[in-house]
Amino acid sequence: MISRLYYAAKVYFSSYGIAWFDVDTFLKLLSFIDSKKVLSTNEMDSFLKKNSQHPFAKTGREGYYFARLLWHLGILVKSSGSRYKLSSYGQNLLDKLKGNRENILRLIFKKWYPLIVFLKYIDYKGSVGMRVISSELGGEMKHWTSILHQLGVLKRGNIAKPYNKFVVSSLFIPLSLDLGLIDKKGNEVKLTKDGKEVIRDRVESSDIIRTMPGDYTIYAGIADVLYDAEEPVIVSPWINGTVEKLIMLIGSINEDLSKITLVVRNTQKNRDVIKRISKTTPLDVECRYYQNLHSKITANYQGPSIESSANLLITSLKRNYEIGTYYPKTPEELALAVEELISISKPLEIF
């Protein structure tokens, strides 16, 4: 169900910290957000403690986790500090929520990738129990999170969340039942007609990525492109030890990787990094520069590519607000743009 590093990271970061779902609590929270328009995570946390009967709402961190979830769902956008505000999309949804509750809740969650993966898995199995879900789907997540940890994208590896036994039973099953997407008989669940409709005709296509501090999906996308490429191209005006470490780790994982082309600006720091890369990797490293370079692209002509606002620096990839696009298959137009960047650049002498 989870075919690549990028999709595993997308599941992990867009569900981070969310372990339970209660429809009444969620609806109350949305109503509270609608009344406030702009609010802090502390205000959300205080509201959940006072207004939810769910024991997990009392832990003291749920406001932060639900703010992240609503940000990923597009209902909230960041304001200042730890404050969020209702997006225009979110306002439109909440206005409609006063009508058909189930349909609007389904509209809110139908693009939430962790739920899509969960539903697609159930569809593949036909009918399946929670123990099998946590074993098989959770096992897939463990495989990918171990690699993401090895590459420095996650702080911890071998993580089954969000498809471990507790989260499946406390979040995905209640959510899917409330949305009318599954039927449950005993310990077995299967998709309803509406559940099948949600995943019908869904294919992996280009993905617009927004990241904020603590969300490293663009970083995962770059690692994903390199993960099984033979001769990828990395374009970034500025690089540092981040790309050096990434190339070294990918080289130890990807046996097919033989050559990397780097297109950067001609600066002393970039030359120093490339010099270290050339000394520490057996790979063929082609170094080129274009002094007015502004593009940031990691491309595998035969596979996926990612373009974004993020330089290959840890500050950009882990601490900044960045926007990018992930392509599961490199578009011809993007391949042409990368080819042209290589063509107009010059060999970078580093010795």
Side-chain angles (χ1 to χ4, degrees):
M1 292 297 112
I2 306 170
S3 59
R4 300 197 62 90
L5 281 172
Y6 169 74
Y7 295 119
K10 184 178 178 181
V11 166
Y12 180 84
F13 287 115
S14 61
S15 64
Y16 182 76
I18 299 298
W20 58 277
F21 181 82
D22 172 71
V23 66
D24 290 331
T25 297
F26 190 72
L27 289 170
K28 288 177 182 177
L29 179 60
L30 292 181
S31 179
F32 175 66
I33 291 169
D34 193 17
S35 68
K36 297 286 290 185
K37 307 302 180 186
V38 179
L39 71 170
S40 68
T41 55
N42 286 338
E43 287 177 294
M44 291 180 66
D45 197 57
S46 177
F47 176 84
L48 288 168
K49 286 180 181 178
K50 293 177 181 177
N51 294 277
S52 176
Q53 300 303 311
H54 199 287
F56 261 50
K58 318 296 182 183
T59 62
R61 286 280 286 171
E62 299 309 295
Y64 169 74
Y65 294 139
F66 271 89
R68 281 181 58 108
L69 171 64
L70 293 167
W71 182 85
H72 277 285
L73 292 172
I75 293 174
L76 294 179
V77 293
K78 282 289 287 184
S79 184
S80 59
S82 62
R83 298 175 69 80
Y84 290 79
K85 68 178 182 179
L86 199 58
S87 69
S88 55
Y89 168 74
Q91 184 65 69
N92 184 50
L93 282 176
L94 297 192
D95 289 342
K96 292 179 179 178
L97 193 59
K98 297 163 187 175
N100 191 320
R101 189 186 79 173
E102 185 177 280
N103 282 348
I104 300 306
L105 280 175
R106 194 178 297 163
L107 184 62
I108 288 172
F109 282 99
K110 75 173 186 178
K111 293 182 180 180
W112 190 43
Y113 194 67
L115 179 62
I116 295 300
V117 170
F118 177 74
L119 296 176
K120 288 176 70 174
Y121 170 79
I122 295 175
D123 187 50
Y124 170 75
K125 299 293 288 188
S127 179
V128 63
M130 284 181 281
R131 188 180 298 273
V132 177
I133 296 172
S134 61
S135 173
E136 293 185 351
L137 200 51
E140 282 194 45
M141 277 301 293
K142 281 187 176 184
H143 166 75
W144 290 114
T145 55
S146 294
I147 299 172
L148 288 166
H149 171 64
Q150 185 178 348
L151 295 173
V153 179
L154 301 185
K155 292 181 179 179
R156 292 172 48 238
N158 201 34
I159 300 169
K161 290 181 180 178
Y163 304 121
N164 62 348
K165 186 176 180 181
F166 179 82
V167 179
V168 167
S169 61
S170 300
L171 170 62
F172 288 103
I173 298 295
L175 173 61
S176 300
L177 286 170
D178 282 325
L179 299 184
L181 304 177
I182 62 170
D183 283 327
K184 186 172 183 291
K185 187 174 183 181
N187 194 43
E188 298 272 317
V189 296
K190 64 178 182 179
L191 291 192
T192 62
K193 180 180 177 182
D194 288 332
K196 289 181 178 291
E197 185 68 25
V198 167
I199 62 170
R200 187 174 65 93
D201 301 329
R202 185 181 174 90
V203 296
E204 305 298 1
S205 58
S206 59
D207 221 1
I208 304 297
I209 311 166
R210 295 181 302 144
T211 65
M212 60 175 168
D215 186 322
Y216 314 145
T217 316
I218 287 177
Y219 189 14
I222 293 168
D224 176 277
V225 174
L226 302 175
Y227 179 70
D228 54 3
E230 294 181 11
E231 298 186 359
V233 180
I234 296 175
V235 178
S236 179
W238 295 279
I239 59 175
N240 63 8
T242 302
V243 70
E244 177 186 357
K245 182 178 180 181
L246 187 57
I247 289 174
M248 181 183 69
L249 291 170
I250 287 290
S252 68
I253 295 173
N254 180 5
E255 296 180 355
D256 295 324
L257 185 63
S258 60
K259 176 183 177 181
I260 290 181
T261 300
L262 288 167
V263 183
V264 299
R265 290 190 180 190
N266 186 0
T267 69
Q268 185 61 52
K269 287 185 178 180
N270 284 348
R271 290 197 302 273
D272 289 344
V273 172
I274 292 171
K275 187 181 293 186
R276 293 198 301 268
I277 292 172
S278 299
K279 288 181 177 180
T280 57
T281 179
L283 299 171
D284 178 10
V285 180
E286 180 182 358
C287 311
R288 305 185 68 83
Y289 78 93
Y290 182 70
Q291 206 56 19
N292 294 324
L293 181 66
H294 190 68
S295 303
K296 297 94 175 175
I297 305 168
T298 304
N300 172 9
Y301 296 140
Q302 286 73 44
S305 291
I306 185 168
E307 57 173 337
S308 74
S309 59
N311 288 292
L312 263 70
L313 308 171
I314 206 67
T315 49
S316 297
L317 296 170
K318 288 194 170 185
R319 300 173 194 168
N320 290 352
Y321 284 85
E322 304 284 357
I323 298 173
T325 307
Y326 173 86
Y327 302 93
K329 176 61 179 173
T330 301
E332 291 182 5
E333 296 85 354
L334 185 59
L336 179 63
V338 174
E339 181 184 346
E340 186 169 45
L341 283 170
I342 294 172
S343 177
I344 63 176
S345 63
K346 299 176 181 179
L348 181 61
E349 302 295 335
I350 59 174
F351 299 105

